[in-house]
Amino acid sequence: MTLQPLLPDILQAVMKGQSRAQQDSHYPGWHLAPVTGLLNDPNGFIHFQGRYHLFYQWNPLGCQHANKCWGHWSSPDLLHWQHEPIALMPDSEYDRSGCYSGCAVDNHGMLTLCYTGNVKFDNGERTAWQCLAVQNAHGGFDKLGPVIPLPEGYTGHVRDPKVWHHQQHWYMVLGAQDQQKQGKVLLLRSDDLMQWQPLGEIAGSGIGGLGDAGFMWECPDLFTLDDNDFLIVCPQGVAREETRFLNSYPSAYVSGELDYHRARYRHGPLVEMDAGFEFYAPQTTLSADGRRLLVGWMGVPDGEEMSQPTTAQGWIHQMTCVRELSQHNGKLYQRPIRELQGLREDEQHWQGLADDAPVLEAQSLELELASQGPIMLNFADTLILTWQSDGLRLARLSRITGEWQYRYWPGDVRELHILCDRSSVEIFINGGEGVMSSRYFPVHPATLALSGGTNLRARYWSLRSCMVE
Ligand code: FRU
């Protein structure tokens, strides 16, 4: 069977769609977003031979979750990005229902992609292959085909390989669902990326002291910071609690110690990565100077995503800003990378009662706030942050029910660092101890009004746009 070539349709979709998306008042000025169609997970984030590469799940043909290709950007500095040739299209038998998420590695100087070939059958079943592709002299990628078939004991939901090098071997974590419909993370080892030896389950629902923790674990990422081994994962089906795990699916991590020889991972409880309305499928890599960087999808599957108004302009979703990770006592901290300071225009200051603060222009804003609270931050009457003595509450109007919905960050808040870019707000709490990332769709030009009878100190900047070339 020959598959329908996608390229002519993709080209036409980009030619027709790009200017429409970019004229949308909600299109980001400096976050990465699709030129047209739907973007979801970041893939293949790597620093390779002097440049950063970031790939992404992309449906160039529409705003639905279909036709998943790998789009590709590169950058010398994480600030100025350029478009690269589309890296993968679902045009082979083994990836015909989508080139799903995965990673990139430097294999002896060859930029090599490791991704999931997803295959759906007419009877509703599916299978998955873990596949390789290698960069060619033209900057595109040549597929090498599948290297790992569906492992026994699991359903067709096995995907999202993340590969790293450790003590002369390649290791891979894979997201999986077992036959009992429990989410798991598998560990595998290889010497050449071609032959893989399964080492077992290292974490998941019902193991490692977690109890019932969901029916599928997607997008695992395992890395070491100082002496701690962190596993980031997206567990689907974790029970909602009063103040956490409130999105349709969360992104979470555990921290502990991985025994590579016995394939045993001793770890603590699941901690939510981001307490906002939109954050999912983050991926990390090392920077040129050894920092652990993270970028996430500022979206969540299976929630209210399709009610976002940008679909009328032919595009949907964006990435988060790139963040630097650090850890204190096994707890992950996230901060915007320092490179982003390159977007700042003139610095402004303000100090006094929140009620007397000037109304800020919120289209493209960086704001540092120090206070004891209580303060209210009203983003264009569409997104409202309340800073109280027991933590933060973020309220947003549902575009489906018209009701206010809430997200929470419980704890003592001393300072906030906020990044606004047209239709997104990222709130970093206490130097990165917590984060809340959310999309919102205000009438532009959006403003931010502060109120409250409390003193605050503010430093803020308007941020320059940074177009992808
Ligand atoms: C997460 C995810 C991955 C999958 C990809 C498909 O958002 O469902 O598990 O590989 O998206 O686009």
Side-chain angles (χ1 to χ4, degrees):
M1 177 172 112
T2 45
L3 297 168
Q4 174 79 16
L6 287 170
L7 209 45
D9 290 348
I10 293 177
L11 204 49
Q12 186 191 29
V14 171
M15 288 188 285
K16 282 182 150 178
Q18 181 160 22
S19 62
R20 194 153 68 111
Q22 275 167 8
Q23 281 159 23
D24 186 352
S25 68
H26 296 307
Y27 199 83
W30 56 271
H31 282 81
L32 291 165
V35 292
T36 189
L38 173 144
L39 165 150
N40 56 301
D41 312 354
N43 294 153
F45 191 22
I46 191 170
H47 183 259
F48 174 77
Q49 295 182 352
R51 285 185 80 80
Y52 291 94
H53 294 263
L54 182 64
F55 302 80
Y56 54 99
Q57 287 287 288
W58 183 33
N59 176 9
L61 299 179
C63 291
Q64 317 75 30
H65 284 278
N67 313 304
K68 293 294 171 71
C69 302
W70 276 41
H72 181 191
W73 297 298
S74 76
S75 167
D77 57 5
L78 297 165
L79 210 51
H80 302 91
W81 293 89
Q82 72 180 44
H83 293 291
E84 296 287 343
I86 185 166
L88 298 171
M89 289 184 289
D91 52 11
S92 306
E93 273 303 318
Y94 52 84
D95 61 19
R96 63 174 194 251
S97 311
C99 296
Y100 274 15
S101 286
C103 62
V105 292
D106 179 348
N107 185 21
H108 303 286
M110 309 265 276
L111 185 56
T112 304
L113 308 182
C114 195
Y115 72 100
T116 301
N118 192 43
V119 176
K120 292 183 182 166
F121 301 107
D122 290 342
N123 65 5
E125 294 188 358
R126 64 164 82 189
T127 192
W129 304 92
Q130 312 314 318
C131 308
L132 296 182
V134 179
Q135 194 166 38
N136 58 38
H138 311 288
F141 286 81
D142 298 328
K143 291 180 181 176
L144 301 185
V147 292
I148 304 175
L150 202 63
E152 229 172 275
Y154 297 87
T155 71
H157 291 276
V158 176
R159 57 178 172 264
D160 310 336
K162 180 81 196 305
V163 176
W164 70 104
H165 206 247
H166 177 80
Q167 294 185 347
Q168 325 302 327
H169 298 287
W170 294 106
Y171 287 88
M172 174 194 289
V173 276
L174 255 185
Q177 177 182 65
D178 70 15
Q179 294 290 1
Q180 288 71 46
K181 304 274 162 72
Q182 299 291 298
K184 295 285 161 68
V185 171
L186 313 182
L187 182 69
L188 298 93
R189 184 172 58 210
S190 172
D191 290 327
D192 57 4
L193 298 176
M194 304 294 288
Q195 306 276 340
W196 287 90
Q197 181 194 353
L199 300 179
E201 295 175 352
I202 55 160
S205 180
I207 56 177
L210 286 190
D212 187 2
F215 57 85
M216 170 64 193
W217 280 28
E218 298 187 317
C219 300
D221 190 348
L222 199 144
F223 57 89
T224 305
L225 260 185
D226 306 330
D227 286 334
N228 271 294
D229 296 322
F230 287 92
L231 174 68
I232 294 180
V233 73
C234 294
Q236 300 186 308
V238 172
R240 287 167 68 94
E241 296 177 9
E242 211 171 310
T243 59
R244 57 175 205 155
F245 300 138
L246 296 175
N247 293 341
S248 54
Y249 306 130
S251 169
Y253 71 88
V254 292
S255 131
E257 200 180 338
L258 177 65
D259 179 340
Y260 280 81
H261 296 291
R262 296 170 56 229
R264 293 278 154 74
Y265 183 39
R266 281 194 19 225
H267 61 75
L270 273 178
V271 183
E272 197 164 26
M273 289 284 299
D274 188 302
F277 286 93
E278 273 89 20
F279 183 84
Y280 202 69
Q283 195 172 84
T284 75
T285 195
L286 283 177
S287 68
D289 58 0
R291 289 170 291 161
R292 178 60 58 175
L293 305 180
L294 173 142
V295 60
W297 170 30
M298 217 189 297
V300 179
D302 298 345
E304 295 191 354
E305 57 178 328
M306 291 308 156
S307 71
Q308 296 187 8
T310 65
T311 56
Q313 311 307 320
W315 71 282
I316 181 169
H317 297 312
Q318 66 174 58
M319 295 298 176
T320 65
C321 71
V322 179
R323 303 168 182 183
E324 177 180 347
L325 296 182
S326 59
Q327 72 93 31
H328 299 289
N329 299 324
K331 190 168 163 177
L332 274 185
Y333 281 61
Q334 304 179 49
R335 287 193 190 86
I337 49 165
R338 57 173 179 262
E339 285 85 341
L340 285 177
Q341 295 171 11
L343 297 174
R344 291 174 175 174
E345 296 192 338
D346 292 344
E347 180 172 327
Q348 306 191 63
H349 295 263
W350 196 84
Q351 191 160 355
L353 280 188
D355 277 336
D356 299 334
V359 171
L360 303 179
E361 213 264 271
Q363 285 199 91
S364 193
L365 171 73
E366 176 172 2
L367 168 65
E368 288 178 0
L369 273 183
S371 174
Q372 309 284 327
I375 296 179
M376 197 144 97
L377 291 88
N378 182 334
F379 299 85
D381 295 327
T382 320
L383 186 77
I384 297 178
L385 181 70
T386 319
W387 177 346
Q388 284 153 332
S389 57
D390 59 349
L392 299 177
R393 188 189 75 174
L394 187 63
R396 185 176 73 181
L397 272 179
S398 162
R399 302 188 61 88
I400 291 181
T401 65
E403 291 171 356
W404 287 98
Q405 297 176 326
Y406 302 98
R407 295 293 181 269
Y408 305 90
W409 192 82
D412 180 25
V413 180
R414 299 176 305 279
E415 50 182 51
L416 298 180
H417 184 178
I418 300 175
L419 297 173
C420 303
D421 185 7
R422 276 67 177 191
S423 56
S424 70
V425 176
E426 290 163 275
I427 302 164
F428 295 85
I429 305 153
N430 297 343
E433 189 184 353
V435 197
M436 302 177 97
S437 306
S438 303
R439 300 294 304 284
Y440 79 131
F441 300 97
V443 176
H444 279 296
T447 55
L448 166 57
L450 305 170
S451 60
T454 327
N455 273 306
L456 61 81
R457 248 181 320 118
R459 265 200 330 157
Y460 55 101
W461 301 260
S462 155
L463 299 177
R464 267 185 284 278
S465 289
C466 200
M467 300 311 286
V468 180
E469 297 192 322

